[in-house]
Amino acid sequence: MSVAVENFIKTIYKNNLNSVNNTKPGSIAKHLEISNAAATDMAKKLAEKDLLNYEKYKPLKLTSKGEKIALNVIRKHRLWEAFLFKTFDMSLHDIHREAELLEHETSNFLAEKISSYLGHPKFDPHGDPIPNSKGEITTTDISISLEKSLENKTYTIARLMSDDKDFFDFCAQNGLKYGNTLEVVKQFSNTKMTQIRINNNTILLNQDFTKIIYVNEIN
Amino acid sequence: MSVAVENFIKTIYKNNLNSVNNTKPGSIAKHLEISNAAATDMAKKLAEKDLLNYEKYKPLKLTSKGEKIALNVIRKHRLWEAFLFKTFDMSLHDIHREAELLEHETSNFLAEKISSYLGHPKFDPHGDPIPNSKGEITTTDISISLEKSLENKTYTIARLMSDDKDFFDFCAQNGLKYGNTLEVVKQFSNTKMTQIRINNNTILLNQDFTKIIYVNEIN
DNA sequence: TAAAATGTTTAAGTAAGCTTAAAAAAATAA
DNA sequence: TTATTTTTTTAAGCTTACTTAAACATTTTA
């Protein structure tokens, strides 16, 4: 499985999680920074290998075979993130960038070593679930985005769904870290802003941020 | 720099260490398991990029630019070996296999993190020197091969120069490990065998082995 | 609902990294 | 030193993963 194929399949998988199965070549092309033509081409080739279903002008859907490959790559990516974060105390942005490369050159053997070393973690430092060695995500994620959180409730940070350096820098500066606790002070429905309290600081977040910060309510 | 290019350059570098600058396309082709034609082709391309000097039918020689790339890849390989060996307690054969893949997808940034984490080691678990971040090997290696060792002297194991699984299995079973101490009992000049004593066991090694086990004399 | 804009596909072409087959040079043996 | 073997090079061709340009289908908008 080449790097190009693995990234292509991974992109479909992730895209279909977000955008309710409407992944066409164009969206993959944009994400991978290749031409639409190249994406269509690749889709056809992968369909021949039974990794996805392709019909002209229709959304791409991974077969179970394709999905397995996606989950295996994602597993390696997230294991590396967890490992690098713990071992070298690297930033969320740095671990993502390195994992993006290492994920394709990691044997299942080494992935198991890493997983076992870390005590088979269920989540990576972004809060994203780590598939097990069979490619299953057993953990059910019941977190909600901050934009849907309720005033005067307390939450723990469950996921930081981004790979933008500036976002992570902001998070690091303000204690927005997987597992940390915050309180929702006010939801401004007109401006779609959310005021939170964390580490005795009050922060106003706009929707760009509240959409990608996921939290779990504390009872 | 692609994987193919990095491996090609690395092979020339290593080959020239052993065989006194007589690396022609054929020997690289054999090592990388590609055709002679492919090796000639690659040599020409890399000459255009000023990574090596190519003249028809003449041995290949890296330019300083090419050598720098070789040393950078070798650095990453050996750092990974040291790191995997320490962290996951993997066998010498396993760490080599994994490092062979990871070395090409490791940023200088991550290499520095690994090096610093390990306390900037000068040798990997095979006893091979680790180039520094500038691509320099500062450590002078004064070890000798066991075939040239002297009877009744005591040595520490300095290098195990192989990547053969069976060899490493044998070494692991018999305490032949980087840093361990052994005594040379007898040199059989006819059969080119060497009898050593290690961990209270006596072992008879043939020349295939004594050629690739390097040791330092204990005064 | 027709026109315009957008997205997808096809077609033709490129570079990297290989292959096999044959020609040419170099190394080895008789 | 010539003949044979081996190695290197050239030539032609293949696959993967891209590109741009143009044709075509779909979606949007007026």
Side-chain angles (χ1 to χ4, degrees):
Chain A
M1 212 55 35
S2 72
V3 173
V5 169
E6 286 186 352
N7 279 332
F8 196 88
I9 287 177
K10 194 180 69 165
T11 305
I12 299 176
Y13 180 85
K14 287 196 159 190
N15 216 60
N16 277 348
L17 282 187
N18 300 331
S19 45
V20 213
N21 279 33
N22 195 30
T23 305
K24 289 184 192 160
S27 63
I28 298 166
K30 193 178 275 178
H31 186 259
L32 296 178
E33 296 180 290
I34 58 176
S35 66
N36 286 2
T40 301
D41 236 55
M42 181 64 100
K44 280 188 193 167
K45 274 185 191 161
L46 298 188
E48 266 170 34
K49 290 181 182 163
D50 195 32
L51 299 178
L52 53 80
N53 297 315
Y54 175 71
E55 277 182 87
K56 273 191 190 181
Y57 302 104
K58 295 274 161 61
L60 304 174
K61 252 194 71 120
L62 293 177
T63 61
S64 66
K65 206 169 150 193
E67 196 162 280
K68 223 170 189 175
I69 290 169
L71 284 159
N72 193 244
V73 176
I74 289 170
R75 168 176 167 77
K76 286 166 184 173
H77 180 101
R78 294 181 180 166
L79 282 172
W80 272 119
E81 290 205 340
F83 183 75
L84 297 175
F85 190 71
K86 178 181 173 171
T87 309
F88 301 125
D89 194 31
M90 284 160 56
S91 76
L92 288 184
H93 179 255
D94 286 342
I95 61 174
H96 178 78
R97 189 194 57 226
E98 303 295 338
E100 204 64 27
L101 299 172
L102 296 171
E103 63 184 12
H104 305 292
E105 300 303 332
T106 306
S107 66
N108 290 337
F109 173 84
L110 180 55
E112 266 316 287
K113 289 275 177 188
I114 298 171
S115 181
S116 145
Y117 175 85
L118 296 171
H120 301 292
K122 294 250 185 296
F123 298 96
D124 74 10
H126 298 278
D128 296 325
I130 301 175
N132 69 19
S133 58
K134 289 174 202 143
E136 298 157 344
I137 298 179
T138 52
T139 357
T140 41
D141 179 12
I142 52 156
S143 61
I144 57 165
S145 70
L146 212 40
E147 74 182 324
K148 288 175 186 144
S149 65
L150 303 174
E151 287 178 4
N152 300 317
K153 296 237 178 199
T154 306
Y155 298 90
T156 58
I157 297 172
R159 300 177 77 169
L160 300 168
M161 310 239 269
S162 170
D163 44 32
D164 180 62
K165 176 159 170 44
D166 289 341
F167 174 71
F168 288 135
D169 285 349
F170 173 85
C171 289
Q173 276 160 34
N174 293 283
L176 287 163
K177 194 173 142 182
Y178 175 60
N180 280 9
T181 300
L182 62 83
E183 192 195 333
V184 175
V185 178
K186 191 144 180 55
Q187 288 286 14
F188 297 91
S189 52
N190 291 338
T191 54
K192 307 277 186 196
M193 308 266 282
T194 303
Q195 189 185 3
I196 64 165
R197 192 154 185 79
I198 185 166
N199 289 347
N200 284 321
N201 288 312
T202 298
I203 311 171
L204 204 52
L205 301 167
N206 71 18
Q207 205 180 14
D208 291 339
F209 281 42
T210 58
K211 268 198 305 205
I212 57 179
I213 299 172
Y214 278 68
V215 292
N216 284 315
E217 194 182 332
I218 296 181
N219 301 323
Chain B
M1 212 57 31
S2 72
V3 174
V5 168
E6 286 186 352
N7 279 333
F8 195 88
I9 288 177
K10 193 179 71 165
T11 305
I12 298 176
Y13 180 85
K14 289 197 157 187
N15 216 60
N16 278 348
L17 282 187
N18 300 331
S19 45
V20 214
N21 279 32
N22 195 29
T23 305
K24 289 185 192 159
S27 63
I28 297 166
K30 194 179 275 177
H31 186 259
L32 295 179
E33 297 181 290
I34 58 176
S35 67
N36 286 2
T40 300
D41 236 56
M42 181 64 99
K44 281 187 192 168
K45 274 185 192 164
L46 297 188
E48 267 171 32
K49 291 182 183 165
D50 194 32
L51 299 177
L52 53 80
N53 297 315
Y54 174 72
E55 278 183 86
K56 273 191 189 182
Y57 303 105
K58 295 275 161 61
L60 304 175
K61 251 194 72 122
L62 293 179
T63 62
S64 67
K65 204 169 150 193
E67 197 163 279
K68 223 170 189 175
I69 290 170
L71 284 158
N72 193 242
V73 176
I74 289 170
R75 168 175 166 78
K76 286 166 184 173
H77 180 100
R78 293 181 181 166
L79 281 172
W80 272 119
E81 288 204 341
F83 183 76
L84 296 175
F85 190 71
K86 179 182 172 172
T87 309
F88 301 126
D89 194 32
M90 283 159 57
S91 75
L92 288 184
H93 179 256
D94 286 342
I95 61 174
H96 178 78
R97 190 194 55 225
E98 303 294 339
E100 204 64 28
L101 299 173
L102 296 172
E103 63 184 12
H104 306 293
E105 301 303 332
T106 306
S107 66
N108 291 338
F109 173 85
L110 181 55
E112 267 315 289
K113 288 277 178 188
I114 297 171
S115 181
S116 147
Y117 175 86
L118 296 170
H120 302 292
K122 295 250 186 295
F123 298 97
D124 74 11
H126 298 279
D128 296 325
I130 302 176
N132 69 19
S133 58
K134 289 173 202 145
E136 300 157 345
I137 298 179
T138 52
T139 356
T140 42
D141 181 11
I142 52 156
S143 60
I144 56 165
S145 69
L146 252 189
E147 73 181 326
K148 288 174 186 144
S149 65
L150 303 173
E151 286 178 4
N152 299 318
K153 297 239 178 197
T154 306
Y155 298 90
T156 57
I157 297 173
R159 299 177 77 168
L160 301 167
M161 310 239 271
S162 170
D163 45 32
D164 179 64
K165 175 159 171 48
D166 289 341
F167 174 71
F168 288 134
D169 284 349
F170 175 85
C171 289
Q173 275 159 35
N174 292 282
L176 288 163
K177 194 173 142 183
Y178 175 60
N180 281 8
T181 301
L182 62 83
E183 192 194 334
V184 175
V185 178
K186 193 145 180 52
Q187 288 286 14
F188 297 92
S189 52
N190 292 339
T191 53
K192 307 280 186 192
M193 308 265 289
T194 304
Q195 190 183 0
I196 63 166
R197 193 154 184 80
I198 186 165
N199 290 347
N200 284 320
N201 288 311
T202 299
I203 310 172
L204 204 52
L205 301 168
N206 70 18
Q207 205 181 13
D208 291 338
F209 280 43
T210 59
K211 268 198 305 204
I212 56 178
I213 298 173
Y214 278 68
V215 293
N216 285 315
E217 194 182 333
I218 296 181
N219 301 323

